[in-house]
Amino acid sequence: MRNILSEPAKLFTDRPYEAHLTVAASACSATSSEAILVVDDDGMMRDLLRRMLERAGFSVVTAVDGLQGLERFRGGGVHVMITDMMMPEMDGLELIRILRAERPNLQVIAVSGADDRDGYLRTALNLGAKAVLRKPVGSAELVQTVRRVLSAGP
């Protein structure tokens, strides 16, 4: 029996994906002390995103939902947040609203695997997310999106 958890990069890379980017005009670069916060209630997805980002050389902090994401963000050192939209306790939209109010220049990437008929990803962009990704997302697309958001700045 094949253990798919031992091959995390292959889990979603063979499946279609969509990536929608909005890029701001100013420039900014992250320092090695700045982390990416990954917030997702799906443990397998959270771990997969963390591994893909760490393999690309990023420092990653994770959270299981919006409430824990808020706590981790307030602990400091977070430059970019990648958040799922549909989560218990506090969804991604509420998390984006709160954190962008606290730090307007926070770089946010919203991710969703749900049908977006309700406009969660559009709303995330309206709240200030710099990019949105639809699950499943491949490693190259994730890393490219993070790098573009970092280089675009606030």
Side-chain angles (χ1 to χ4, degrees):
M1 182 174 196
R2 190 172 126 197
N3 181 354
I4 63 171
L5 292 178
S6 66
E7 302 173 11
K10 294 181 182 178
L11 270 176
F12 296 110
T13 55
D14 296 332
R15 294 172 57 191
Y17 65 90
E18 288 184 54
H20 303 275
L21 253 288
T22 61
V23 180
S26 61
C28 158
S29 63
T31 66
S32 59
S33 65
E34 295 169 327
I36 297 172
L37 173 60
V38 173
V39 185
D40 198 315
D41 61 317
D42 180 332
M44 192 168 93
M45 177 58 69
R46 188 176 57 249
D47 189 51
L48 179 64
L49 294 173
R50 179 188 55 78
R51 288 184 198 191
M52 287 191 279
L53 292 166
E54 286 176 344
R55 284 185 184 142
F58 294 105
S59 174
V60 181
V61 176
T62 62
V64 300
D65 60 29
L67 289 176
Q68 190 178 58
L70 188 60
E71 178 183 307
R72 297 269 162 83
F73 171 81
R74 288 177 174 161
V78 172
H79 188 70
V80 175
M81 177 180 67
I82 299 172
T83 185
D84 187 26
M85 293 288 89
M86 305 290 286
M87 297 180 289
E89 304 302 324
M90 178 188 294
D91 69 19
L93 293 177
E94 186 64 19
L95 181 61
I96 293 169
R97 274 189 204 103
I98 292 169
L99 294 184
R100 293 273 302 164
E102 289 183 18
R103 187 164 52 154
N105 65 344
L106 175 65
Q107 304 299 301
V108 176
I109 299 170
V111 182
S112 183
D115 181 359
D116 200 38
R117 287 185 197 149
D118 294 330
Y120 286 104
L121 294 176
R122 260 192 329 268
T123 303
L125 289 170
N126 291 337
L127 290 173
K130 300 298 180 189
V132 296
L133 295 169
R134 295 187 194 279
K135 293 177 188 176
V137 60
S139 181
E141 291 70 35
L142 175 66
V143 171
Q144 180 183 30
T145 300
V146 169
R147 287 185 176 144
R148 283 187 180 170
V149 165
L150 283 169
S151 69

